[in-house]
Amino acid sequence: MNDSNMKTIPTFGYELIRDNILRSVLGKHEEEVLYWAGKELARKFPLFSMAEAASFFEQAGWGSLSLEKEGKDFAIFLLIGDADILKFEERCFRIEAGFLAEQTQKLNGYLTECYEEKNIKHGTVTFNLKWDLKEPIK
């Protein structure tokens, strides 16, 4: 995606879909379906490295993402942003978690899962990615 092709939509329109329509339609399955939707987005918008994830998050309006820590079988990312836009108290961040899991899995070649932890007081979300070195993806 380059900046000249980006168009903006009012935040209200995004919020209507993300926080109202999807929640209503998906009901108790919201978190599971949004996780798989994030994985599907990652397949449609593949990254060449996880360093590109931060710019993707910014362009998608998902907030500012940074890599906090990385090991041989894990990575921890931190998401920050405007609390009024990201609605930390009410929103689940499973789309973002699924997106990060699928991108990491594609890039490192191992089965990968991602779990998020919200810190409402600080207005952050921590994404904990873990991959299984015994489970290569073919």
XYZ file of all heavy atoms in Angstrom, residues 24-93:
562
model
N -22.826 -7.560 16.968
C -24.219 -7.995 16.942
C -24.399 -9.267 16.103
O -25.061 -10.211 16.514
C -25.094 -6.875 16.390
O -26.416 -7.285 16.267
N -23.792 -9.299 14.948
C -23.939 -10.434 14.041
C -23.213 -11.677 14.562
O -23.737 -12.781 14.501
C -23.415 -10.071 12.627
C -23.310 -11.291 11.736
C -24.300 -9.023 11.992
N -22.023 -11.490 15.105
C -21.211 -12.628 15.532
C -21.563 -13.134 16.932
O -21.305 -14.293 17.246
C -19.730 -12.268 15.465
C -19.208 -11.880 14.081
C -17.765 -11.431 14.173
C -19.377 -13.020 13.100
N -22.127 -12.266 17.747
C -22.541 -12.668 19.089
C -21.428 -13.316 19.880
O -20.307 -12.818 19.930
N -21.723 -14.470 20.484
C -20.752 -15.133 21.353
C -19.543 -15.672 20.591
O -18.541 -16.051 21.199
C -21.423 -16.245 22.151
C -21.878 -17.425 21.320
C -22.529 -18.473 22.187
C -22.923 -19.676 21.326
N -23.489 -20.741 22.134
N -19.604 -15.697 19.265
C -18.491 -16.192 18.455
C -17.582 -15.063 17.950
O -16.666 -15.319 17.171
C -19.023 -16.984 17.257
C -19.881 -18.140 17.663
N -19.381 -19.262 18.277
C -21.204 -18.328 17.565
C -20.361 -20.098 18.533
N -21.487 -19.554 18.113
N -17.842 -13.846 18.412
C -17.105 -12.681 17.911
C -15.591 -12.876 17.966
O -14.894 -12.685 16.962
C -17.493 -11.425 18.705
C -16.697 -10.204 18.289
C -16.958 -8.992 19.177
O -17.481 -9.144 20.295
O -16.610 -7.893 18.733
N -15.057 -13.248 19.111
C -13.602 -13.322 19.256
C -12.993 -14.383 18.348
O -11.970 -14.150 17.715
C -13.223 -13.555 20.713
C -13.534 -12.342 21.569
C -12.984 -12.439 22.976
O -12.227 -13.394 23.261
O -13.306 -11.554 23.778
N -13.624 -15.559 18.259
C -13.102 -16.631 17.408
C -13.120 -16.227 15.937
O -12.144 -16.424 15.214
C -13.951 -17.898 17.557
C -14.025 -18.468 18.927
C -15.332 -19.223 19.143
O -16.016 -19.587 18.166
O -15.658 -19.446 20.309
N -14.230 -15.686 15.487
C -14.372 -15.321 14.076
C -13.432 -14.175 13.721
O -12.798 -14.186 12.662
C -15.839 -14.970 13.738
C -15.962 -14.421 12.322
C -16.731 -16.187 13.917
N -13.299 -13.194 14.607
C -12.405 -12.075 14.320
C -10.951 -12.527 14.250
O -10.175 -12.008 13.444
C -12.584 -10.954 15.338
C -13.920 -10.222 15.271
C -13.977 -9.112 16.319
C -14.197 -9.665 13.886
N -10.565 -13.495 15.057
C -9.205 -14.033 15.000
C -8.939 -14.642 13.625
O -7.920 -14.356 12.990
C -9.007 -15.081 16.101
C -7.589 -15.586 16.227
C -6.626 -14.826 16.877
C -7.222 -16.827 15.717
C -5.322 -15.290 17.010
C -5.925 -17.308 15.854
C -4.981 -16.534 16.491
O -3.689 -16.994 16.626
N -9.896 -15.456 13.144
C -9.725 -16.074 11.827
C -9.822 -15.041 10.712
O -9.147 -15.171 9.690
C -10.709 -17.227 11.642
C -10.318 -18.355 12.538
C -10.903 -18.713 13.720
C -9.187 -19.213 12.384
N -10.210 -19.760 14.290
C -9.152 -20.090 13.500
C -8.198 -19.334 11.413
C -8.172 -21.061 13.658
C -7.235 -20.313 11.573
C -7.224 -21.154 12.683
N -10.602 -13.997 10.924
C -10.668 -12.907 9.935
C -9.316 -12.199 9.858
O -8.859 -11.836 8.763
C -11.771 -11.915 10.307
N -8.668 -12.010 10.989
C -7.329 -11.414 10.996
C -6.326 -12.273 10.258
O -5.469 -11.777 9.520
N -6.431 -13.591 10.419
C -5.543 -14.501 9.697
C -5.792 -14.407 8.191
O -4.850 -14.395 7.391
C -5.735 -15.937 10.199
C -5.220 -16.150 11.627
C -5.487 -17.528 12.158
C -4.520 -18.568 11.733
N -3.155 -18.470 12.171
N -7.052 -14.296 7.807
C -7.387 -14.157 6.383
C -6.853 -12.845 5.823
O -6.341 -12.791 4.702
C -8.906 -14.265 6.193
C -9.355 -14.153 4.757
C -8.835 -15.268 3.851
O -8.498 -16.363 4.340
O -8.765 -15.032 2.625
N -6.957 -11.766 6.596
C -6.387 -10.479 6.160
C -4.881 -10.605 5.920
O -4.355 -10.039 4.964
C -6.637 -9.395 7.210
C -7.972 -8.698 7.185
C -8.089 -7.742 8.368
C -8.155 -7.940 5.882
N -4.212 -11.326 6.794
C -2.768 -11.517 6.639
C -2.440 -12.257 5.349
O -1.426 -11.981 4.707
C -2.209 -12.267 7.843
N -3.295 -13.186 4.960
C -3.068 -13.910 3.704
C -3.269 -12.995 2.498
O -2.598 -13.143 1.482
C -3.997 -15.118 3.616
C -3.663 -16.205 4.608
C -4.604 -17.404 4.477
N -4.546 -18.186 5.693
C -5.525 -18.294 6.581
N -6.690 -17.695 6.381
N -5.374 -19.013 7.662
N -4.202 -12.061 2.608
C -4.482 -11.139 1.498
C -3.488 -9.990 1.434
O -3.316 -9.382 0.380
C -5.898 -10.594 1.621
C -6.932 -11.661 1.370
C -8.329 -11.107 1.365
C -9.261 -12.285 1.187
N -10.461 -12.011 0.530
N -2.860 -9.660 2.566
C -1.898 -8.569 2.641
C -0.605 -9.077 3.276
O -0.252 -8.692 4.393
C -2.463 -7.395 3.458
C -3.681 -6.775 2.846
C -4.949 -7.196 3.224
C -3.563 -5.788 1.880
C -6.083 -6.636 2.653
C -4.690 -5.225 1.307
C -5.955 -5.655 1.693
N 0.116 -9.966 2.565
C 1.318 -10.552 3.154
C 2.434 -9.523 3.338
O 2.608 -8.615 2.519
C 1.723 -11.619 2.130
C 1.125 -11.171 0.845
C -0.134 -10.433 1.201
N 3.148 -9.680 4.441
C 4.308 -8.834 4.729
C 5.568 -9.596 4.337
O 5.590 -10.820 4.339
C 4.349 -8.496 6.221
C 3.126 -7.802 6.809
C 3.312 -7.578 8.312
C 2.830 -6.490 6.109
N 6.625 -8.851 4.025
C 7.904 -9.469 3.700
C 8.766 -9.648 4.942
O 9.706 -10.422 4.953
C 8.642 -8.663 2.634
C 7.921 -8.672 1.320
C 7.202 -7.567 0.894
C 7.923 -9.800 0.509
C 6.513 -7.583 -0.311
C 7.234 -9.829 -0.690
C 6.536 -8.707 -1.102
N 8.431 -8.902 6.006
C 9.095 -9.042 7.299
C 8.157 -8.484 8.361
O 7.276 -7.675 8.059
C 10.424 -8.283 7.323
O 10.193 -6.895 7.417
N 8.380 -8.892 9.595
C 7.524 -8.384 10.670
C 7.798 -6.921 10.955
O 6.984 -6.249 11.575
C 7.687 -9.239 11.935
C 7.009 -10.591 11.827
S 5.259 -10.524 11.332
C 4.503 -9.882 12.821
N 8.908 -6.401 10.463
C 9.190 -4.970 10.620
C 8.130 -4.127 9.896
O 7.866 -2.987 10.276
C 10.581 -4.639 10.089
N 7.501 -4.700 8.874
C 6.453 -3.992 8.128
C 5.115 -3.946 8.884
O 4.220 -3.199 8.512
C 6.217 -4.666 6.779
C 7.390 -4.598 5.836
C 7.121 -5.346 4.534
O 6.016 -5.903 4.352
O 8.024 -5.378 3.700
N 4.979 -4.739 9.924
C 3.712 -4.810 10.660
C 3.323 -3.451 11.244
O 2.146 -3.084 11.228
C 3.782 -5.868 11.754
N 4.295 -2.709 11.734
C 3.993 -1.406 12.343
C 3.351 -0.457 11.334
O 2.350 0.207 11.649
C 5.263 -0.786 12.929
N 3.883 -0.402 10.123
C 3.297 0.502 9.128
C 1.927 0.003 8.673
O 1.023 0.795 8.423
C 4.233 0.728 7.939
O 4.474 -0.467 7.260
N 1.743 -1.324 8.605
C 0.427 -1.853 8.259
C -0.592 -1.444 9.314
O -1.696 -0.996 8.986
C 0.457 -3.376 8.108
C -0.864 -3.936 7.649
C -1.116 -4.114 6.296
C -1.875 -4.238 8.549
C -2.348 -4.600 5.854
C -3.108 -4.725 8.125
C -3.344 -4.898 6.775
N -0.253 -1.594 10.575
C -1.163 -1.217 11.662
C -1.526 0.261 11.576
O -2.686 0.629 11.741
C -0.542 -1.535 13.026
C -0.876 -2.912 13.539
C -0.529 -4.052 12.813
C -1.511 -3.078 14.751
C -0.834 -5.320 13.283
C -1.824 -4.342 15.233
C -1.486 -5.465 14.491
N -0.534 1.104 11.319
C -0.800 2.547 11.194
C -1.759 2.818 10.037
O -2.730 3.551 10.181
C 0.505 3.320 10.972
C 1.394 3.405 12.181
C 0.926 4.401 13.230
O 0.142 5.313 12.917
O 1.371 4.262 14.381
N -1.489 2.217 8.874
C -2.328 2.444 7.698
C -3.738 1.902 7.886
O -4.698 2.474 7.366
C -1.680 1.821 6.455
C -0.431 2.545 6.021
C 0.265 1.864 4.867
O -0.143 0.808 4.393
N 1.340 2.476 4.392
N -3.868 0.822 8.644
C -5.182 0.229 8.885
C -5.962 0.972 9.969
O -7.132 0.690 10.190
C -5.029 -1.243 9.282
N -5.302 1.912 10.651
C -5.960 2.630 11.740
C -6.041 1.812 13.010
O -6.881 2.063 13.871
N -5.166 0.825 13.137
C -5.180 -0.070 14.287
C -4.324 0.437 15.435
O -4.315 -0.174 16.495
C -4.701 -1.460 13.894
C -5.652 -2.212 13.010
C -6.914 -1.845 12.637
C -5.412 -3.475 12.392
N -7.465 -2.800 11.830
C -6.569 -3.822 11.659
C -4.335 -4.348 12.383
C -6.668 -4.997 10.934
C -4.436 -5.516 11.661
C -5.596 -5.844 10.945
N -3.561 1.497 15.244
C -2.707 2.035 16.295
C -1.237 1.869 15.967
O -0.865 1.484 14.858
N -0.398 2.188 16.960
C 1.057 2.121 16.804
C 1.572 0.831 17.431
O 1.425 0.607 18.631
C 1.714 3.315 17.488
O 1.297 4.512 16.869
N 2.199 0.010 16.614
C 2.688 -1.294 17.035
C 4.203 -1.273 17.124
O 4.875 -0.741 16.230
C 2.251 -2.357 16.016
C 2.565 -3.801 16.366
C 1.637 -4.292 17.476
C 2.424 -4.684 15.128
N 4.740 -1.855 18.187
C 6.194 -1.949 18.310
C 6.577 -3.310 18.885
O 5.850 -3.876 19.700
C 6.749 -0.836 19.192
O 6.193 -0.901 20.490
N 7.695 -3.822 18.425
C 8.234 -5.075 18.939
C 8.919 -4.769 20.256
O 9.816 -3.926 20.325
C 9.232 -5.684 17.944
C 9.932 -6.965 18.377
C 8.939 -8.092 18.593
C 10.989 -7.358 17.354
N 8.510 -5.443 21.322
C 9.068 -5.211 22.652
C 10.143 -6.220 23.013
O 11.117 -5.890 23.669
C 7.965 -5.251 23.710
C 6.941 -4.147 23.552
C 7.537 -2.772 23.758
O 8.054 -2.496 24.860
O 7.489 -1.959 22.803
N 9.944 -7.479 22.609
C 10.876 -8.529 22.979
C 10.720 -9.686 22.001
O 9.624 -9.949 21.516
C 10.571 -9.000 24.403
C 11.600 -9.898 25.018
C 11.282 -10.147 26.486
C 12.353 -11.026 27.104
N 12.045 -11.352 28.500
N 11.832 -10.371 21.735
C 11.779 -11.502 20.813
C 12.756 -12.564 21.280
O 13.853 -12.254 21.745
C 12.135 -11.044 19.400
C 11.906 -12.065 18.340
C 12.053 -11.491 16.942
O 12.807 -10.516 16.763
O 11.418 -12.039 16.025
N 12.341 -13.824 21.170
C 13.195 -14.955 21.515
C 13.147 -15.972 20.399
O 12.586 -15.719 19.331
N 13.703 -17.158 20.644
C 13.754 -18.163 19.574
C 12.380 -18.713 19.221
O 12.170 -19.171 18.112
C 14.735 -19.280 19.900
C 14.305 -20.203 21.010
C 15.277 -21.349 21.187
C 14.662 -22.354 22.137
N 15.369 -23.596 22.186
N 11.422 -18.668 20.170
C 10.092 -19.209 19.884
C 8.952 -18.301 20.353
O 7.832 -18.752 20.563
C 9.940 -20.604 20.490
C 10.005 -20.593 22.013
O 10.353 -19.540 22.598
O 9.700 -21.635 22.618
N 9.256 -17.002 20.491
C 8.206 -16.076 20.909
C 8.552 -14.644 20.478
O 9.701 -14.331 20.177
C 8.002 -16.114 22.427
C 9.089 -15.400 23.192
C 8.945 -14.069 23.557
C 10.257 -16.055 23.532
C 9.956 -13.405 24.253
C 11.277 -15.406 24.218
C 11.120 -14.067 24.584
N 7.537 -13.816 20.452
C 7.714 -12.375 20.239
C 6.599 -11.670 21.001
O 5.493 -12.193 21.143
C 7.659 -12.018 18.757
N 6.908 -10.489 21.488
C 5.929 -9.679 22.206
C 5.869 -8.313 21.527
O 6.893 -7.641 21.378
C 6.303 -9.523 23.689
C 6.348 -10.896 24.356
C 5.315 -8.597 24.397
C 6.926 -10.886 25.764
N 4.654 -7.941 21.101
C 4.414 -6.643 20.483
C 3.528 -5.825 21.396
O 2.666 -6.362 22.099
C 3.713 -6.806 19.128
C 4.607 -7.307 18.030
C 4.798 -8.657 17.830
C 5.256 -6.409 17.187
C 5.601 -9.134 16.814
C 6.079 -6.873 16.162
C 6.252 -8.230 15.979
N 3.698 -4.516 21.354
C 2.887 -3.596 22.139
C 2.136 -2.670 21.197
O 2.725 -2.107 20.270
C 3.765 -2.774 23.081
C 3.019 -1.845 24.042
C 2.233 -2.661 25.062
C 3.999 -0.918 24.736
N 0.845 -2.523 21.434
C -0.009 -1.629 20.655
C -0.423 -0.469 21.541
O -0.909 -0.670 22.653
C -1.257 -2.377 20.168
C -2.272 -1.558 19.378
C -1.697 -1.154 18.020
C -3.561 -2.345 19.201
N -0.211 0.744 21.037
C -0.678 1.945 21.723
C -1.418 2.798 20.707
O -1.286 2.600 19.502
C 0.477 2.758 22.362
C 1.478 3.220 21.287
C 1.180 1.950 23.438
C 2.527 4.183 21.800
N -2.200 3.729 21.202
C -2.918 4.625 20.304
C -3.917 5.450 21.082
O -4.047 5.331 22.303
N -4.620 6.279 20.368
C -5.629 7.155 20.949
C -6.753 6.300 21.545
O -7.407 5.543 20.834
C -6.171 8.076 19.850
C -7.163 9.085 20.367
O -7.988 8.737 21.237
O -7.123 10.232 19.881
N -6.967 6.429 22.837
C -7.973 5.618 23.531
C -9.376 5.858 22.996
O -10.204 4.950 22.982
C -7.924 5.896 25.030
N -9.661 7.070 22.522
C -10.987 7.361 21.971
C -11.214 6.628 20.653
O -12.342 6.283 20.318
C -11.167 8.864 21.752
C -11.253 9.629 23.052
O -11.688 9.034 24.068
O -10.883 10.823 23.070
N -10.155 6.404 19.912
C -10.273 5.713 18.629
C -10.194 4.194 18.825
O -10.991 3.447 18.259
C -9.183 6.188 17.644
C -9.425 7.655 17.283
C -9.149 5.321 16.391
C -8.324 8.294 16.469
N -9.248 3.739 19.618
C -9.050 2.301 19.784
C -10.022 1.653 20.766
O -10.180 0.435 20.758
C -7.607 2.006 20.196
C -6.562 2.350 19.145
C -5.176 1.975 19.625
C -6.851 1.682 17.817
N -10.657 2.444 21.619
C -11.696 1.941 22.536
C -11.240 0.698 23.289
O -11.867 -0.353 23.244
C -12.988 1.683 21.780
C -13.537 2.930 21.133
C -14.850 2.641 20.454
C -15.376 3.900 19.841
N -16.418 4.529 20.597
N -10.133 0.836 23.989
C -9.534 -0.289 24.708
C -10.508 -0.983 25.653
O -10.452 -2.189 25.820
C -8.304 0.180 25.510
C -7.151 0.583 24.654
C -6.831 1.919 24.473
C -6.370 -0.370 24.022
C -5.760 2.294 23.686
C -5.297 0.001 23.227
C -4.992 1.332 23.057
N -11.387 -0.228 26.293
C -12.285 -0.823 27.284
C -13.332 -1.747 26.660
O -13.727 -2.724 27.271
C -12.986 0.277 28.090
C -12.051 0.980 29.022
C -12.769 1.897 29.991
O -13.845 1.521 30.480
O -12.233 2.983 30.247
N -13.795 -1.442 25.441
C -14.910 -2.201 24.870
C -14.532 -3.143 23.750
O -15.271 -4.071 23.456
C -15.995 -1.250 24.343
C -15.633 0.148 24.431
C -16.630 1.177 23.994
O -17.130 1.126 22.865
O -16.844 2.069 24.800
N -13.429 -2.929 23.110
C -13.099 -3.674 21.894
C -12.211 -4.875 22.194
O -11.313 -4.811 23.011
C -12.380 -2.725 20.934
C -12.092 -3.301 19.588
C -11.484 -2.269 18.659
N -12.501 -1.305 18.259
C -12.238 -0.144 17.676
N -11.002 0.198 17.437
N -13.211 0.663 17.338
N -12.458 -5.960 21.481
C -11.507 -7.070 21.524
C -10.508 -6.834 20.378
O -10.817 -6.165 19.401
C -12.206 -8.424 21.398
S -12.719 -8.891 19.739
N -9.335 -7.348 20.517
C -8.277 -7.115 19.537
C -7.866 -8.419 18.867
O -6.693 -8.669 18.588
C -7.085 -6.418 20.219
C -7.405 -5.005 20.597
C -8.050 -4.719 21.796
C -7.125 -3.968 19.741
C -8.383 -3.420 22.138
C -7.452 -2.652 20.068
C -8.083 -2.389 21.276
